[in-house]
Amino acid sequence: MSSTTATRVPAAPRVETPFQRFVSEFAASRIALLGLILFLAIVAIAVLAPWIAPQNPYDLAQLDIMDGRMEPGTVGGAGFTYWLGTDDQGRDMLSGIMYGLRISLIVGAGSAIIACLVGASLGMLAAYAGGRTDSLIMRLVDLQLSFPAILAALMILAFLGKGILNVVFALVIVEWAYYARTVRGSALVERRREYIEAAQCLALPTRRIIFRHLLPNCLPPLIVVGTMQVARAIALEATLSFLGLGVPITEPSLGLLISNGYEYMLSGKYWISFYPGIALLVTIVSINLVGDQLRDVLNPRLKR
Amino acid sequence: MTAFLLRRLIQAAAVVLVMSLLVFLGVFAVGDPIEILISPEADQFERERAVKALGLDLPLWQQYLVFLGNALRGDLGRSFVFNEPALKLILERMPATLELAIGATVAALIIGLPLGLYAGLKPNSPVSKGIMATSILGFSLPTFWVGLMLIMVFAVQLGWLPSTGRGETVTILGMRWSFLTSDGIAHLIMPALNLALFKISLVIRLTRAGVRETMLMDYVKFARAKGLSPARVTFVHVFKNILIPVVTVVGLEFGGTIAFSVVTESVFAWPGMGKLIIDSINVLDRPVMVAYLMMIVLLFITINLVVDITYSLLDPRVRLEGKQ
C-alpha cells in the first residue's frame, strides 16, 4: 500500500505530533473508546441537567406528593411519564439522577484536582529538597496510606459534620498521599537525567527548572493516578453519603439517592435505589476504563 | 534486632500519641459537650457544678492530660446514649464485627482461589476472560449498592435469606456468635459475601498472576517431565507455592476489612462496632466516637507493627535500612 501512495505522492512524509500519536494509541482500544464516550456523555448530562431533565427536583412547586413511589413508566399527575419511577416525595428519579450526577462529579473532580495540587507540590518538594523534608513528607504519606481511606474520611466527617465542602476536604486528606508518592517517584528519576543537569548548568532559576522542565515530565503518571482517583473519590463520596455523613439532604448526590431508597427496598420498591446505583456504576466503570488505557498508553516501559 | 524493635515500638507509641491529640482536639472543636449533657432548664449553679465535675474549667492542655491519663487506665468516657462505659460498648460489639470480617475472608478464599486457579491455568479460555472481566467489576462496584441489591434479590424477591440482623446466637466464652446456629449462618451469608466482594477480585487476580508465574518455573517443568499427573502438579507443586503470597496479602487486608465493615454493617443492620460508630456519629455520642477511633488506631498500629516485624524477620534488608 505504501508503494502505491509513494508513486502518486512523492513528497510530504507524514509527521505525527506527540499528541496525535497519543490520540491514535488511545483509540486503538475499542473498549477504552467506549469508556471515554460514556464518560463524556455522563459529563454532558450532568452539565445540561437543568435544560434536559424533565423536572427540577429542587423546585417543590413542580413536585406532587400524590405521585410518590410510582413505578417506572407510570404517567404522573403532571402529564409526563416517570420513566424511572418516583421517590417518596414524588420526585422523578430520572431528573434526580441527572442532578445527582452533577454533585457526584463536582465532588469527585473537585477533590481530585485539589488533592493533586497539594500532593504534587508536596511530592515535588520532597524530591527536590531531599533530606529531612523528604523523610518527613514521606513518613506522613506512609502514615496516611496505612489507614483505610473510608476510616480516615469517617473520622474527619464525624468531627466536621455534613456538607459538600467538608466532604471535599475529607477526600483531599485521604487522597493527597497517592499524588505525592507518584510525583516524588518520577521526579527522583527525572532529576538525574541530563536535561535537568543542562538546565542547572545554564543557571536557570530553580522555579523555572521545576515548573518548565521537571513537572511536565512527571505529568504522565500523575494523569493516570488522577483519573483513577476521580473514580475512587466518586465511589467514596457515594459511600459516605449513603452512611449519612456526606452531602446534606438539600444537595442529593447519587449516594444519597440510593440511601433514600433503602427503606423502601424491603417493600419491593427497588427503583429508588436501583437506578441511581446503575448511574454510579456506569460512571465509575467508564472512568476506570479510560484510566486503564491511559496507563498503557502513557507507560514509557511499554513504548515501542 | 532489639534496636530495630525498640525504634519501631517508639514510633508506634508516637503515632498513638499524635492520634490521641488529634482525636481530642477534634472532639474539642465540635463544641461544648455541656450543651448536650445537661438539661436546658438547668440553672447557672447546676451548670457550673457540671462543668467543674467534668473538668471542663481546666485549661485545654490539662484537660488533654486528664483525657490521656484516663485513656491509659482504660477509661474512655461514658456513652451519652447508653450511659455505659464507651469501651465496654465497643468490646461487646467486637465479636460480631470479627465474625463478619473472618466470614468475609474465608468466603474470599473459597470463591477466589478456584476461580483464580482456573483463570491462571487456562488464560485464553472464554470462561477465564469472563472471570477476569467480572473481577474488574468487583473493584468498580460500590459495595453498599451491591449489598442493597443482594437484599432486594435474595431477601425481598426470592425470600431465601433474612435481610437484616444477626439471627440466633450461641454464647461461648461470654461472647455471642452466630456461625454456630443455622439461623445465624443464614444471616451471615449475605453480609459476609458483600464484604468479601472486593477481596474476591483481589484473590482471583493474585492467584492468576501467581499460577502463570509458577507454571514457568523449572521445578514445575521437572515435575511434569517426571510424568506426574496434571492434578498432582497443579495442586501439590503450583498451588502450595502460590498460597503463601495470597494468604499474606489477605491477612494484611484484614484491618481494611474491619474498617470497611462499617458500610456492610450499616446496610445489613449487623450489630457490630461499625454500626455502633455510625449510629453514635448520627446522635453525636462523643465518648463512643472517641473510644472507637482510639481502638481502631490501636488496631491498625498493631497490625502495621506486626507486619513490619514479620518482614524484618524474613528480609534482613528491611532491618538494616536505617543503619547506613
Side-chain angles (χ1 to χ4, degrees):
Chain A
M1 201 190 89
S2 63
S3 63
T4 53
T5 36
T7 48
R8 267 188 285 144
V9 190
R14 215 161 62 94
V15 180
E16 225 179 15
T17 64
F19 182 71
Q20 281 170 334
R21 192 175 66 222
F22 167 74
V23 168
S24 66
E25 272 179 27
F26 184 87
S29 161
R30 287 275 166 79
I31 189 129
L33 213 55
L34 179 73
L36 186 67
I37 292 168
L38 268 179
F39 179 66
L40 290 178
I42 287 167
V43 172
I45 289 173
V47 171
L48 299 175
W51 294 279
I52 57 174
Q55 184 191 59
N56 180 356
Y58 297 123
D59 185 4
L60 293 176
Q62 289 188 30
L63 303 182
D64 187 354
I65 199 84
M66 299 299 286
D67 285 356
R69 301 197 285 281
M70 279 191 158
E71 275 189 48
T74 329
V75 180
F80 67 88
T81 314
Y82 296 119
W83 291 112
L84 302 183
T86 60
D87 71 358
D88 52 327
Q89 307 282 326
R91 228 174 246 131
D92 174 37
M93 284 316 293
L94 182 64
S95 312
I97 290 171
M98 287 176 168
Y99 277 81
L101 269 175
R102 285 163 86 92
I103 313 251
S104 291
L105 286 178
I106 288 172
V107 171
S111 65
I113 290 169
I114 300 172
C116 181
L117 288 176
V118 174
S121 316
L122 285 172
M124 192 55 95
L125 180 69
Y128 214 84
R132 271 179 187 281
T133 321
D134 184 23
S135 53
L136 178 72
I137 292 175
M138 291 327 282
R139 258 287 117 78
L140 276 177
V141 168
D142 287 344
L143 188 68
Q144 184 67 62
L145 293 182
S146 65
F147 286 96
I150 179 96
L151 260 189
L154 207 69
M155 260 168 127
I156 296 165
L157 288 173
F159 292 139
L160 293 182
K162 288 181 196 184
I164 287 198
L165 285 180
N166 291 349
V167 175
V168 171
F169 176 74
L171 291 177
V172 168
I173 295 284
V174 300
E175 280 183 356
W176 71 273
Y178 291 94
Y179 297 97
R181 198 175 54 175
T182 311
V183 167
R184 177 181 174 269
S186 48
L188 278 182
V189 174
E190 295 294 328
R191 251 195 90 173
R192 295 198 202 94
R193 295 273 167 85
E194 281 96 346
Y195 68 90
I196 296 292
E197 217 171 290
Q200 278 168 338
C201 288
L202 287 171
L204 294 180
T206 313
R207 223 180 58 200
R208 198 181 153 88
I209 295 178
I210 289 181
F211 286 104
R212 298 294 296 273
H213 298 262
L214 203 49
L215 196 57
N217 285 295
C218 298
L219 273 184
L222 201 58
I223 292 171
V224 175
V225 172
T227 321
M228 299 296 201
Q229 290 298 321
V230 172
R232 246 175 64 102
I234 290 175
L236 198 54
E237 181 275 322
T239 306
L240 291 167
S241 295
F242 172 75
L243 292 174
L245 301 169
V247 296
I249 305 172
T250 47
E251 286 147 314
S253 67
L254 293 176
L256 200 59
L257 290 177
I258 296 171
S259 169
N260 286 342
Y262 178 51
E263 50 185 309
Y264 302 108
M265 186 129 247
L266 295 178
S267 48
K269 298 186 172 55
Y270 68 91
W271 58 89
I272 309 178
S273 284
F274 180 72
Y275 291 116
I278 292 288
L280 185 65
L281 179 65
V282 172
T283 311
I284 295 172
V285 171
S286 69
I287 298 176
N288 279 341
L289 288 176
V290 172
D292 248 1
Q293 180 69 0
L294 280 180
R295 185 173 49 203
D296 290 350
V297 172
L298 294 175
N299 188 348
R301 267 175 300 181
L302 296 176
K303 273 277 145 63
R304 290 143 297 257
Chain B
M1 188 63 206
T2 322
F4 169 83
L5 213 78
L6 212 62
R7 208 172 58 226
R8 274 294 137 96
L9 273 175
I10 292 171
Q11 271 176 12
V15 173
V16 175
L17 207 64
V18 170
M19 292 312 267
S20 75
L21 186 63
L22 279 180
V23 169
F24 177 77
L25 286 179
V27 170
F28 194 83
V30 178
D32 198 350
I34 277 295
E35 300 295 334
I36 303 169
L37 281 174
I38 62 169
S39 66
E41 294 101 54
D43 60 19
Q44 192 62 28
F45 178 68
E46 273 179 59
R47 205 185 153 83
E48 269 168 26
R49 209 179 46 189
V51 167
K52 235 189 179 75
L54 288 165
L56 293 172
D57 52 341
L58 299 172
L60 190 55
W61 64 271
Q62 272 186 14
Q63 284 189 39
Y64 173 64
L65 287 184
V66 170
F67 164 75
L68 208 60
N70 286 340
L72 284 178
R73 274 180 272 129
D75 175 11
L76 288 164
R78 288 178 86 83
S79 160
F80 298 157
V81 177
F82 298 93
N83 198 23
E84 273 185 60
L87 197 61
K88 182 173 161 250
L89 278 174
I90 287 170
L91 291 179
E92 266 173 13
R93 281 161 177 75
M94 202 183 246
T97 299
L98 284 179
E99 186 173 66
L100 184 59
I102 293 170
T105 307
V106 171
L109 289 175
I110 291 178
I111 298 171
L113 278 175
L115 292 180
L117 198 63
Y118 185 85
L121 290 174
K122 295 189 173 128
N124 294 320
S125 85
V127 176
S128 300
K129 288 193 174 136
I131 291 174
M132 292 322 285
T134 320
S135 84
I136 294 176
L137 217 57
F139 282 122
S140 302
L141 283 167
T143 309
F144 66 98
W145 184 70
V146 177
L148 290 180
M149 292 304 119
L150 283 176
I151 292 182
M152 194 185 83
V153 174
F154 293 103
V156 180
Q157 310 271 344
L158 297 172
W160 290 353
L161 294 167
S163 61
T164 53
R166 241 187 126 178
E168 214 177 297
T169 55
V170 176
T171 308
I172 294 174
L173 300 170
M175 286 177 277
R176 293 162 57 224
W177 302 97
S178 297
F179 73 100
L180 293 169
T181 65
S182 60
D183 184 43
I185 288 189
H187 279 83
L188 184 61
I189 290 175
M190 277 204 295
L193 269 182
N194 185 223
L195 190 57
L197 189 72
F198 178 82
K199 279 142 86 80
I200 294 173
S201 301
L202 188 72
V203 172
I204 289 179
R205 300 199 141 220
L206 282 171
T207 312
R208 175 176 176 270
V211 169
R212 295 196 64 185
E213 219 169 88
T214 316
M215 286 306 274
L216 302 173
M217 293 282 179
D218 284 341
Y219 66 83
V220 176
K221 283 184 195 153
F222 180 69
R224 295 228 304 256
K226 249 190 344 187
L228 296 180
S229 71
R232 196 176 158 80
V233 174
T234 308
F235 286 103
V236 177
H237 295 261
V238 176
F239 194 63
K240 246 164 110 182
N241 280 291
I242 57 158
L243 215 51
I244 298 162
V246 171
V247 169
T248 313
V249 172
V250 170
L252 285 181
E253 276 280 304
F254 193 67
T257 310
I258 288 183
F260 215 81
S261 68
V262 168
V263 179
T264 302
E265 284 177 17
S266 296
V267 173
F268 292 93
W270 186 263
M273 295 193 290
K275 178 102 175 62
L276 177 71
I277 180 66
I278 296 295
D279 293 345
S280 301
I281 290 173
N282 283 329
V283 296
L284 283 177
D285 193 349
R286 261 178 247 156
V288 179
M289 280 155 69
V290 170
Y292 176 82
L293 293 180
M294 289 315 293
M295 285 296 290
I296 285 286
V297 166
L298 266 182
L299 180 77
F300 267 85
I301 284 167
T302 313
I303 291 177
N304 287 342
L305 195 68
V306 170
V307 170
D308 276 356
I309 291 172
T310 320
Y311 275 1
S312 79
L313 287 176
L314 298 176
D315 188 348
R317 280 174 302 180
V318 179
R319 202 162 47 212
L320 297 170
E321 193 186 348
K323 286 199 180 162
Q324 288 145 10

